[in-house]
Amino acid sequence: MSWEFVDELKQNLPSRRQPSLRLFLSQARFPWCKNKTKMIVVLKSNVSPEEENAVVEEIKKLGYRPHVMHGVARTVIGAIGDEHSHRDLDVLNAWTQVESVTPIQKRHKLVSREAHPQNSTVNAGGVIVGGKKIQVMAGPCSVESEEQLMKTAHAVKAAGASMLRGGAFKPRTSPYEFQGLGEDGLKLLAKAREETGMPIVTELLSQDQAELVAEYSDMLQIGTRNAQNFQLIIAAAKTGKPVLLKRGMSMRIMEWLLAGEYVLANRNANLLFCERGIRTFEDYTRNTLDLSAVAVVKAESHCPIVVDPSQGCGKASLVRSMCKGAVAVGADALLVEVHPNPTEAISDAAQQIDLKGFATLMNELTPIAESVGREI
Ligand code: PEP
Ligand code: MN
């Protein structure tokens, strides 16, 4: 909940009433209250006793226990209930005498730090994401051929990458562009894993393919275009494989956290958020990589956060700098597009770094990781 809001509220209440609000808030933290829904309803000033009573009755009707606190200028009603429904907030907000309704609990219950104060870790085929070591997932945007994939896989492994990325099913903006090798691409990824020992992360595009893609991979990527495709997210969660949820290109952080909630709510605790840039008015870069979101997600959630600077800025020349920034700000892992010959890449040619550039990047990241108490 927003404690700033409570402080503000306290200032609006006369001093003799402050203990009452404090009492409500402290009761709200008692074990018997732990799984209850709590909210604070602030009434407008000069509300008549009848109007106040109408809101109290509505709160009861919705199944909450009201706790009325009268101030000099305002009346505040604390409410404690059993069920959680966002609709309740809307219903109360619709009353003209209500100034605001603030839920005490976060809507993103399971992904929030309130539910799990420590950082959680995700194990993807033996690679632990969210611990001291920053994991680097590297590989081509698309799996194009055996030669391209194997060459990249061996080179990124030698440079220190711990997971291999590569799209077999590609979500292309145009239907006339390369759509990926499909299952043949998955087979090549599995072969690369066999040769290098690196677990695989690859994108899942449709619910029908959830089992197929999960069979070949160690982590399922939900792309930016599907970040609020809840049925797809649920299908991914149900495979039991770790789910890397990219941020939708026009998605607010809260919406992203709630999309992630679908994974945990479907009994899969292995969720990773991935910041990959959002649409802004800036068009120098393909997207605007929002590194502030990394700090926000770290504060709000216990789940690991990954940064993808390749889609994030869309320019190979910027990828190294953005990786360094991501590590400094607290990313748990990086997702980097690497191609043996970027100019010949079938997709995202402008943003893939070459094998030498990737090796340089890994060396450059070491002191930055150490400076923030991590290793790479
Ligand atoms: C990708 O990783 O190649 C990709 C398509 O990502 P996004 O969904 O972030 O665009
Ligand atoms: Mn790409």
Side-chain angles (χ1 to χ4, degrees), residues 141 165 170 311 337 348 351:
C141 174
R165 67 145 286 151
K170 294 301 298 177
Q311 329 297 322
E337 288 188 348
D348 288 350
Q351 69 193 33

Side-chain angles (χ1 to χ4, degrees), residues 304-326:
I305 174 128
V306 182
V307 171
D308 172 351
S310 307
Q311 329 297 322
C313 47
K315 285 192 163 121
S317 61
L318 300 176
V319 166
R320 273 162 47 200
S321 306
M322 298 320 290
C323 282
K324 291 184 221 169

Side-chain angles (χ1 to χ4, degrees), residues 141 165 170-171 203 221 223-225 246 276 311 337:
C141 174
R165 67 145 286 151
K170 294 301 298 177
E203 181 159 353
Q221 174 176 325
T224 194
R225 293 159 186 82
K246 295 250 194 151
R276 51 77 70 200
Q311 329 297 322
E337 288 188 348

Side-chain angles (χ1 to χ4, degrees), residues 18-260:
Q18 285 188 17
S20 182
L21 180 62
R22 259 204 304 271
L23 185 69
F24 170 72
L25 291 169
S26 56
Q27 276 184 354
R29 286 160 153 188
F30 282 168
W32 64 269
C33 239
K34 203 165 170 237
N35 296 318
K36 305 250 179 203
T37 305
K38 293 145 242 165
M39 54 188 174
I40 293 179
V41 183
V42 180
L43 301 186
K44 287 186 179 148
S45 48
N46 305 320
V47 161
S48 71
E50 291 73 30
E51 287 172 318
E52 176 189 313
N53 203 38
V55 177
V56 169
E57 289 307 314
E58 181 68 62
I59 288 173
K60 284 187 195 159
K61 212 165 91 195
L62 291 169
Y64 296 81
R65 202 152 52 93
H67 177 93
V68 182
M69 295 161 273
H70 289 117
V72 173
R74 275 172 211 286
T75 296
V76 173
I77 311 172
I80 297 179
D82 289 316
E83 296 287 322
H84 177 81
S85 161
H86 193 62
R87 183 183 162 268
D88 300 345
L89 306 182
D90 290 343
V91 167
L92 290 166
N93 259 319
W95 288 75
T96 50
Q97 61 269 50
V98 169
E99 168 112 6
S100 65
V101 185
T102 307
I104 297 187
Q105 272 143 323
K106 312 256 176 181
R107 285 172 77 199
H108 53 287
K109 291 192 214 181
L110 300 172
V111 303
S112 83
R113 276 212 186 265
E114 280 172 15
H116 189 283
Q118 293 82 26
N119 288 337
S120 53
T121 55
V122 169
N123 181 337
V127 168
I128 309 293
V129 188
K132 187 169 185 197
K133 185 168 160 41
I134 293 166
Q135 306 293 2
V136 180
M137 309 165 183
C141 174
S142 302
V143 177
E144 298 171 5
S145 68
E146 180 162 353
E147 194 198 342
Q148 171 242 21
L149 186 66
M150 298 309 159
K151 204 168 166 189
T152 313
H154 285 288
V156 297
K157 160 97 184 181
S162 41
M163 285 184 72
L164 179 65
R165 67 145 286 151
F169 293 96
K170 294 301 298 177
R172 304 310 301 279
T173 301
S174 160
Y176 307 116
E177 289 166 352
F178 178 57
Q179 304 288 309
L181 296 181
E183 190 170 355
D184 290 343
L186 295 176
K187 286 183 179 151
L188 290 176
L189 286 166
K191 187 166 181 214
R193 173 177 51 203
E194 217 174 275
E195 285 191 16
T196 63
M198 282 187 295
I200 304 298
V201 53
T202 195
E203 181 159 353
L204 173 65
L205 273 188
S206 123
Q207 281 147 261
D208 309 340
Q209 293 155 343
E211 287 309 318
L212 175 78
V213 179
E215 191 189 309
Y216 286 97
S217 61
D218 303 283
M219 185 185 286
L220 299 174
Q221 174 176 325
I222 300 291
T224 194
R225 293 159 186 82
N226 277 315
Q228 281 182 306
N229 182 342
F230 302 121
Q231 294 310 314
L232 179 66
I233 296 172
I234 292 169
K238 287 189 170 163
T239 66
K241 288 281 158 98
V243 178
L244 178 134
L245 179 64
K246 295 250 194 151
R247 180 176 180 184
M249 61 184 91
S250 302
M251 215 179 194
R252 293 197 170 123
I253 295 173
M254 277 302 152
E255 293 167 331
W256 186 23
L257 292 170
L258 282 167

